[in-house]
Amino acid sequence: MFAVYSRSVSDAAPSTDHGGPDRQPIWSRPERGSRGPAPAHSRDSIVVAAIALADTEGLAAVSMRAVAAALGTGAGSLYRYLSSRDDLLDLMTDRAVGELRPYPRVTDDWLETMVLLGRRQLALFGAHPWLLDVIHRPSGVGPESLAWFDNCLRILEPVRCPVAAKFEAIAMMTGVVSLFARRESAAGAFSFAGVDLAAYPHLVAAFSAPPGPAPRADLVERTLRSLLSGLLLTESTDAE
């Protein structure tokens, strides 16, 4: 999702490496070669098996050999459908992003709808933690990623600001949501036990202050609202 924005504004020279940004996307290649025995599997079944493996054992466990074993076949047979593990990661990323469908209908409150999309992203990262490690790969921008970005632009149509600001806001929303997802995945008890706080008077004062009223919205919602409003409404004012 970040990669859609990066690709749209990048003026870097294309790489000639096989795994670089100019390698032919897996989505533009045929499902499999026309020669050889009848297909025993499909790209879809391979990707489903790979995602199940990543969900249970982590991304590092996803190899062509491991996925082939899960399908009851040899690793060599997968190369009839994919040319590399990079292809597999790209397909996994795009299929996972497809789980953000169905998209919410357009309402008069574009900000509310975008916050809803941000929450859906957070839930998606929770269901597939490995996605955090591959979502920024430029080569992983496939049909579902493009459809998601297109949908965000559809929601933001009423906002009068430069399109570049909309691209930035969508990318930043994904980045902030991914930070919240990483925080949740690494959540654990933290304690100052055994730490002498005397050298940190501002911390002591903060912990000693009476708690204020609880915010009406949680931190995720407050952050997304502030981020999107700040990036888009400010630009809208400047554009007028």
Side-chain angles (χ1 to χ4, degrees):
M1 299 171 191
F2 255 138
V4 177
Y5 172 70
S6 299
R7 176 171 292 182
S8 70
V9 300
S10 174
D11 58 358
S15 169
T16 57
D17 181 72
H18 177 72
D22 65 334
R23 79 178 163 93
Q24 187 180 20
I26 182 65
W27 300 279
S28 65
R29 288 179 250 157
E31 175 82 10
R32 63 181 299 278
S34 58
R35 298 180 180 180
H41 302 286
S42 66
R43 275 185 188 167
D44 192 60
S45 65
I46 293 169
V47 173
V48 168
I51 289 177
L53 189 61
D55 287 346
T56 56
E57 300 184 33
L59 192 64
V62 178
S63 65
M64 300 293 270
R65 184 181 300 277
V67 174
L71 292 169
T73 187
S77 66
L78 298 192
Y79 288 99
R80 299 172 186 161
Y81 309 88
L82 311 167
S83 62
S84 66
R85 182 175 182 266
D86 282 337
D87 286 345
L88 182 58
L89 294 179
D90 289 349
L91 290 170
M92 291 168 62
T93 300
D94 205 57
R95 184 182 178 89
V97 172
E99 294 178 23
L100 292 169
R101 293 178 183 268
Y103 302 133
R105 64 183 181 85
V106 175
T107 67
D108 293 334
D109 192 340
W110 62 266
L111 183 56
E112 188 72 28
T113 308
M114 289 299 291
V115 170
L116 173 59
L117 280 181
R119 288 194 174 280
R120 288 190 182 181
Q121 280 187 304
L122 186 59
L124 182 68
F125 287 134
H128 305 296
W130 53 268
L131 191 57
L132 289 165
D133 296 324
V134 296
I135 196 69
H136 304 306
R137 289 161 48 91
S139 62
V141 180
E144 291 296 341
S145 297
L146 291 173
W148 183 88
F149 215 93
D150 182 79
N151 173 69
C152 290
L153 292 172
R154 172 182 66 97
I155 294 169
L156 294 178
E157 274 187 331
V159 183
R160 295 180 58 192
C161 70
V163 67
K166 296 181 181 182
F167 272 71
E168 290 170 351
I170 297 167
M172 288 301 298
M173 182 179 78
T174 298
V176 167
V177 169
S178 67
L179 289 177
F180 276 108
R182 289 188 187 278
R183 185 192 68 166
E184 291 184 359
S185 66
F190 179 79
S191 172
F192 285 110
V195 178
D196 183 4
L197 295 180
Y200 312 102
H202 298 290
L203 273 177
V204 172
F207 288 132
S208 302
R216 288 181 294 177
D218 64 21
L219 183 58
V220 173
E221 180 172 339
R222 285 184 285 132
T223 301
L224 291 179
R225 286 183 179 278
S226 297
L227 172 73
L228 293 168
S229 297
L231 290 175
L232 296 173
L233 297 184
T234 300
E235 289 290 340
S236 178
T237 302
D238 293 343
E240 293 178 355

